[in-house]
Each structure stands twice: as structure tokens, then as C-alpha cells.
Amino acid sequence: MDKIVCANYEEMSAVAAYIIAEQIKRKPESVVGFATGSTPLGAYKRLAELYSCGYVDFSGVISFNLDEYYPIKRDNSRSYFSFMRENLFKYVNIRPENVNIPNGECADPEKECADYDGRLKRLGGTDLQILGVGNNGHIGFNEPREELPLAAGLVDLAEDTVKANSRFFEKPEDVPRRAITLGLGGIFSSKRVLVLVSGAGKAEIVKKMFSGSVSALVPASLLNLRGGVTVIADKAADGRL
Ligand code: GLP
């Protein structure tokens, strides 16, 4: 697992945006696994700027998001569908038919998960998977557990995660307690993985990711088991502040 340590959030975001843009320039029909959360927001802003100055073209890009709350209406401003539209897709020329996000309003989540995995398999996996890391080490919404699923599934969110997500919702009862997420198989199908971590709050988890051992109780540590993973951290997340 390679690690790039940037001076601050801005620098981390710029480096990440260039890596994503270079992937798209190299292969205009790239399948890009997008993540949500606060961490990639700066990178998405930079990416939109790189599009508006003509550096990168999204017309061939196929997006494949990691996860979505369940149940949630797509037009709910807190859905990951809205997140992607508001923070990236509305600023670039991605084709709506090329956008893949689990459907948080489906009636049959089991079928939705199987279909979502099937679609990813038919695409041959993602070319580049962008990942944030939860405070408890989760990737996508794969929470720490003794056994982690390979397939996409409907999962219960850990208490820590519900608490962390509550900042986005007005009332505690609105905070979703379940989500549809790609499993470890879908995430690991990517040819390349870019992990973004920022802020002192992530320093403990970054330390665990680079501790020299792996555990399903720290899902992000499992990324050590494969090649092609680059972690971009700012100094604070790298424990240097
Ligand atoms: C959510 C998302 C994850 C994300 C995590 C971290 O749980 N499902 O994909 O990595 O939040 O979020 P943040 O970047 O806001 O710390």
C-alpha cells in the first residue's frame, strides 16, 4: 500500500483529482467507483474545475457508486444520489445513463444488490475505486465484523456510523440505520484503489491500516492484501500534527 502525505486537505484534494483525471484521460470510458462522505468533496470540486477548463471529459465515463442509504428517496437531499449530483455530476458532462448508484427506494433490496453486483461484473469491475474510510475503519458501508461479505448487501450501520452521519440530518429519527453497499468483492474488483483520508480524527485508523497486520475488524486494513492501492493522507490524518 503506497502512501502519499500532503501538507493539507487542499493539496490532498488536488492530487486526488489529478489521479482521477489522468485515469479518465488514459481511458475515456473508465468505470470509476465514486465514494461519498466529506473527504472526497474537495477532490470532486477540483475535478469539476478540471472539466470546466477542458482538461478532462466525462462523456465516456461510467460511474459506479459504493453505497446508498436504505430506504431513502433519490430526491431526498441527503441521499447519496443527491450528493453525487450536487457535488460532481451536475458540473460535468457525464451521461445520466452511465451513472450507477444503488437504488435506495427499491422494493426488493436483495434483488437490487444482486443486480448491482451483476452490472459491475458485466463491466469487468471498476478501473479506479475512490474510497474514504469511516472512523471505525469501514469501507463503503462494510462495518467491522468478524466475517465480511464479498457480495453487495443490505447492512445495518454501526452505532458509530449512525452517530457520524447524524450531522447531515436534522432529526435523529431521520438518520438511516441501514444501507446498501458493495461488498469486499465489488470493491476489490477495482484495478486501482485510491483511499483519501483527512484530519486528525482519522489518524488512529490510518495507524491501524499501516500497522503491519490485517483484520476484518478494521475493514480498510484488508486493502494491504492487494496491490494497486494508494492512500492519500493529509499530515493530520498521518498523525504528524
Ligand atoms: C460514509 C460512507 C463511506 C465514507 C465514510 C467516511 O460512511 N459510506 O464511503 O468513506 O462515510 O466519511 P467522511 O469522509 O465524511 O469521514
Side-chain angles (χ1 to χ4, degrees), residues 90-102:
K90 78 175 185 189
Y91 299 110
V92 300
N93 63 339
I94 192 164
R95 292 182 210 271
E97 64 272 26
N98 284 350
V99 170
N100 295 283
I101 300 179

Side-chain angles (χ1 to χ4, degrees), residues 64-68 102 109-120 141-142 145 148-155 179-187:
F64 216 94
N65 262 72
L66 275 172
D67 45 19
E68 176 60 284
E110 220 170 282
K111 181 175 181 303
E112 172 65 13
C113 292
D115 290 351
Y116 203 62
D117 265 344
R119 234 182 293 162
L120 184 57
F141 269 132
N142 293 285
R145 276 204 272 160
L148 293 173
L150 292 172
L154 177 65
V155 297
I180 290 175
T181 182
L182 277 183
L184 274 286
I187 294 174

Side-chain angles (χ1 to χ4, degrees), residues 35-40 66-67 80 131-135 138-141 161 165 167-168 202:
T36 52
S38 309
T39 313
L66 275 172
D67 45 19
Y80 286 169
L131 284 182
V133 179
N135 293 328
H138 74 214
I139 48 178
F141 269 132
T161 305
N165 292 341
R167 68 189 194 277
F168 300 115
K202 297 280 165 77

